[in-house]
Amino acid sequence: MDYLKELEGKSVHDYYHQIKMNKMASPIFVPGPVIVGAGPSGLAAAACLKQKGIPSLILERAECLASLWQFKTYDRLRLHLPKQFCQLPLLPFPKTLPSYPTKQQFLAYLKDYADHFDIKPAFSQTVVSAEFDHMCELWRVKTQGHKKEDIAEYICQWLIVATGENSEEVVPQIEGMEEFEGPILHTSLYKSGSMFCGKNVLVVGCGNSGMEVCLDLCNHNARPSLAVRDTVHILPQQMLGKSTFGLSMFLLKWFPKRFVDQFLLLMSHLMLGDTAQFGLRRPKLGPLELKNLYGKTPVLDVGTLAQIKNGKIKVCRGIKRLARNAVEFVDGKVENFDAIILATGYKSNVPSWLKGTDMFSEKDGLPRRPFPNGWKGENGLYAVGFTKRGLLGASIDAKRIAEDIENSWKAKATHILEFPCPLA
């Protein structure tokens, strides 16, 4: 494999030299996979590959690792699951960290992870297109830097999509948005409730983020209301002294999903009461079955429900329209608000740049094949972190991808030296 190391060194050296010169005279051959995205999923894939002696190049549109975590999360955020279910492959969290690490502790872990495996992404490289060249039997990945003239093209045998399920904000179009006089912001711009002290704030969306933002607003003496359109499962974060998630995973080893769902709902009713009386109706399907079929995550309560019960957080129906300083709900009620926060989630942007393949759905940007089979496409195309199963799902994908690429690494790399067509 010495010739591969020599080729890798030359290619990577040429790449960094040409990036600095901002002149890409010809496409750059990457000996191993190109990974799009330097979030946890991309880092996990690169580390698993490196363990097997396979080099890779990560292309990242931002100027840092895990830009979503760095810039688009609120200050009080902690991991919603215990750290043992969120650690990336091959390097566990430090034992000194709490069970539910803070945002800053998680970011420090990701930096240590990249340093440990000597992962050095190419930052400020936005992938504008990626397409398989059937004549060359290679992927052509085109990027753009901060300046329009900073164009580059990379050639590789394997392409790993690691941009994830949360690339772009989902901002719903609500009638009257242009008339509302107060700020309307997505949770990606929300940092703390301190700027809303004493104000009436409507939070739209009752997922984990929406519920936690409401709690944060309460803690900063704002007056939050929660607009709830759909049914939602709310579970305690802990049951019987164990994390609800960990307990569920343990029970699923021994009992069918439906039985575990019934157990979770019984315990939730005993611990939280009937959430429907507070305007939070439960779906007909159980939380695990709903997650498995539709990817909808139950809310793990961290204290929000207590504030709803004592009246500090008001639950409203879905929004019908907005006015200058008021919101009309679908039940006909009208209330005044100073600000609106959209906890309406994110979506994948893969269809906007990945061309010539039907691996990803145009509708939602996720792999068409459901978990656990959505990680592999055709012609050396892979997906990591699209399982709707969080960091644990991304780790499972990363290991499978590395094992699969390892099987064809030497043969493919030898064949590519023959270059079946011009790269330029």
Side-chain angles (χ1 to χ4, degrees):
M1 298 288 285
D2 289 343
Y3 67 89
L4 289 178
K5 292 182 179 179
E6 182 180 348
L7 178 60
E8 173 194 350
K10 183 178 186 303
S11 299
V12 173
H13 176 272
D14 288 349
Y15 157 73
Y16 282 110
H17 174 72
Q18 292 183 28
I19 280 290
K20 289 178 181 178
M21 297 298 292
N22 283 330
K23 292 180 182 295
M24 304 302 290
S26 60
I28 301 301
F29 171 61
V30 180
V34 164
I35 302 171
V36 184
S41 297
L43 295 177
C48 289
L49 288 164
K50 181 154 254 184
Q51 187 206 31
K52 297 180 180 300
I54 303 171
S56 63
L57 172 65
I58 299 181
L59 301 175
E60 167 57 45
R61 64 182 177 180
E63 297 179 353
C64 63
L65 300 173
S67 61
L68 176 68
W69 282 85
Q70 293 268 17
F71 302 124
K72 296 187 177 184
T73 52
Y74 41 90
D75 294 342
R76 66 159 284 141
L77 178 65
R78 287 178 175 266
L79 295 180
H80 290 128
L81 302 181
K83 61 185 180 182
Q84 64 266 32
F85 299 109
C86 299
Q87 61 196 20
L88 302 185
L90 309 173
L91 187 67
F93 279 101
K95 293 181 179 180
T96 54
L97 290 188
S99 295
Y100 298 90
T102 66
K103 164 185 170 178
Q104 294 303 326
Q105 288 170 332
F106 182 61
L107 287 170
Y109 166 73
L110 293 181
K111 183 181 182 304
D112 291 343
Y113 191 88
D115 291 342
H116 180 82
F117 293 103
D118 196 28
I119 300 170
K120 298 177 180 178
F123 294 118
S124 302
Q125 294 293 302
T126 300
V127 173
V128 294
S129 72
E131 190 166 9
F132 188 72
D133 188 326
H134 290 274
M135 182 177 293
C136 298
E137 296 185 348
L138 298 169
W139 286 93
R140 292 181 178 270
V141 184
K142 295 181 180 179
T143 66
Q144 182 175 321
H146 285 315
K147 299 178 181 179
K148 288 186 177 180
E149 61 270 23
D150 293 343
I151 302 295
E153 183 177 27
Y154 306 92
I155 306 295
C156 58
Q157 303 155 72
W158 302 278
L159 178 65
I160 302 174
V161 180
T163 49
E165 304 154 352
N166 303 316
S167 295
E168 295 181 358
E169 297 88 344
V170 173
V171 178
Q173 293 304 304
I174 305 171
E175 183 181 346
M177 285 183 80
E178 66 283 351
E179 299 176 23
F180 188 77
E181 294 181 346
I184 301 176
L185 65 151
H186 191 271
T187 47
S188 60
L189 299 174
Y190 177 91
K191 296 302 176 186
S192 165
S194 57
M195 64 182 292
F196 298 102
C197 179
K199 297 184 181 298
N200 295 318
V201 183
L202 178 65
V203 178
V204 182
C206 60
N208 280 294
S209 293
M211 296 286 274
E212 194 162 359
V213 165
C214 275
L215 181 60
D216 189 55
L217 288 165
C218 266
N219 293 340
H220 286 90
N221 298 314
R223 295 184 292 273
S225 295
L226 182 65
V228 179
R229 183 183 62 179
D230 300 320
T231 55
V232 59
H233 277 301
I234 300 178
L235 308 177
Q237 192 177 43
Q238 302 274 129
M239 287 184 182
L240 304 176
K242 304 284 186 180
S243 79
T244 298
F245 181 83
L247 183 60
S248 301
M249 294 301 100
F250 172 77
L251 292 174
L252 285 172
K253 294 179 180 178
W254 304 98
F255 301 103
K257 192 180 301 159
R258 187 164 296 180
F259 175 85
V260 179
D261 268 341
Q262 290 174 348
F263 170 80
L264 293 176
L265 292 175
L266 174 62
M267 291 299 299
S268 296
H269 187 81
L270 292 173
M271 296 176 68
L272 303 177
D274 180 12
T275 60
Q277 66 179 303
F278 304 107
L280 301 166
R281 296 172 295 113
R282 291 190 181 275
K284 293 182 179 179
L285 292 176
L288 297 180
E289 191 172 4
L290 192 68
K291 176 69 174 176
N292 187 59
L293 290 175
Y294 302 106
K296 189 172 181 180
T297 302
V299 171
L300 295 175
D301 181 54
V302 293
T304 308
L305 194 60
Q307 302 293 359
I308 292 174
K309 289 179 179 180
N310 66 28
K312 290 186 177 180
I313 298 174
K314 186 175 181 179
V315 176
C316 306
R317 298 288 301 278
I319 297 173
K320 183 176 181 180
R321 65 170 65 91
L322 309 181
R324 290 176 58 189
N325 59 358
V327 176
E328 180 182 352
F329 298 95
V330 294
D331 59 3
K333 293 181 180 179
V334 178
E335 298 200 25
N336 292 337
F337 291 98
D338 301 302
I340 297 174
I341 298 172
L342 302 174
T344 45
Y346 296 83
K347 63 181 180 181
S348 164
N349 70 352
V350 175
S352 68
W353 56 267
L354 183 61
K355 309 300 180 184
T357 174
D358 62 356
M359 179 179 177
F360 289 82
S361 167
E362 289 287 339
K363 181 179 179 181
D364 59 14
L366 303 178
R368 295 181 187 276
R369 300 175 67 187
F371 180 84
N373 302 311
W375 60 277
K376 184 177 181 180
E378 296 181 345
N379 302 316
L381 178 63
Y382 298 91
V384 55
F386 292 87
T387 64
K388 292 192 175 181
R389 283 161 174 79
L391 296 166
L392 184 62
S395 295
I396 293 171
D397 284 345
K399 294 173 185 176
R400 286 174 172 164
I401 290 168
E403 290 171 1
D404 196 66
I405 291 178
E406 182 185 31
N407 292 333
S408 57
W409 163 241
K410 186 171 182 179
K412 286 272 188 180
T414 303
H415 174 70
I416 194 60
L417 296 179
E418 300 171 7
F419 292 121
C421 74
L423 295 180

